[in-house]
Amino acid sequence: MTVSHDQLKEALDTLKETGVRITPQRHAILEYLISSMSHPTADDIYKALEGKFPNMSVATVYNNLRVFREVGLVKELTYGDSSSRFDFVTTDHYHVICESCGKIVDFHYPGLDEVEHLASHVTGFKVGAHRMEIYGTCPDCSKKEAH
């Protein structure tokens, strides 16, 4: 897991600008989110960091994620009734979701920015954002199904 130091530095700068104190836990949670491409749940993050911060609870992780979400560093992804997953906000990307195991993989497709312009043009809406999800079966689950 490699962390882009620029991304981490930018994120920490954003926190400083918004007056959010940077605690060792917040630093570690951010670092984990940036390096994790797996869209972890609060529980995943807690499990990954509890060795380093024995007095940290899942609630601490969740509260920090909420702070990050409020300042726009993190997106909370909710899919159906499973627990929220968190995604460090990078450039626009879309999610391909496995219907068997729930794995979420990022893919980039810049062409969809035009959809917002078209939607705005056709409807007169001032478009703020869009969200697209693609569902299927990941290669690991496909292999299992084949056996």
Side-chain angles (χ1 to χ4, degrees), residues 3-147:
V3 173
S4 154
H5 286 290
D6 291 345
Q7 278 184 319
L8 185 59
K9 191 186 167 316
E10 268 172 44
L12 294 170
D13 287 347
T14 302
L15 288 180
K16 279 186 201 125
E17 281 158 26
T18 50
V20 176
R21 255 182 2 111
I22 297 158
T23 61
Q25 279 111 322
R26 283 186 178 150
H27 193 282
I29 293 168
L30 261 183
E31 201 166 21
Y32 183 79
L33 271 170
I34 293 170
S35 63
S36 159
M37 292 317 285
S38 63
H39 309 90
T41 61
D43 210 45
D44 294 335
I45 298 169
Y46 167 73
K47 285 185 181 127
L49 299 176
E50 65 177 333
K52 217 184 203 176
F53 301 101
N55 56 354
M56 184 166 75
S57 66
V58 177
T60 309
V61 173
Y62 197 79
N63 291 336
N64 281 311
L65 289 167
R66 217 173 48 221
V67 170
F68 297 157
R69 192 188 64 207
E70 281 160 13
V71 298
L73 288 177
V74 167
K75 268 194 196 121
E76 188 170 350
L77 311 171
T78 44
Y79 298 104
D81 55 356
S82 57
S83 46
S84 293
R85 290 169 168 273
F86 292 86
D87 191 14
F88 184 74
V89 175
T90 51
T91 51
D92 268 337
H93 63 272
Y94 303 95
H95 296 125
V96 186
I97 300 148
C98 179
E99 292 166 305
S100 300
C101 68
K103 175 155 98 184
I104 304 174
V105 176
D106 290 346
F107 80 105
H108 296 265
Y109 182 68
L112 282 174
D113 296 342
E114 287 164 32
V115 171
E116 288 188 8
H117 298 302
L118 185 64
S120 169
H121 182 69
V122 170
T123 63
F125 273 59
K126 207 171 107 195
V127 175
H130 69 270
R131 171 169 162 172
M132 179 178 74
E133 288 147 16
I134 297 173
Y135 293 86
T137 309
C138 73
D140 292 341
C141 290
S142 296
K143 273 187 220 127
K144 282 181 209 150
E145 284 169 14
H147 290 292

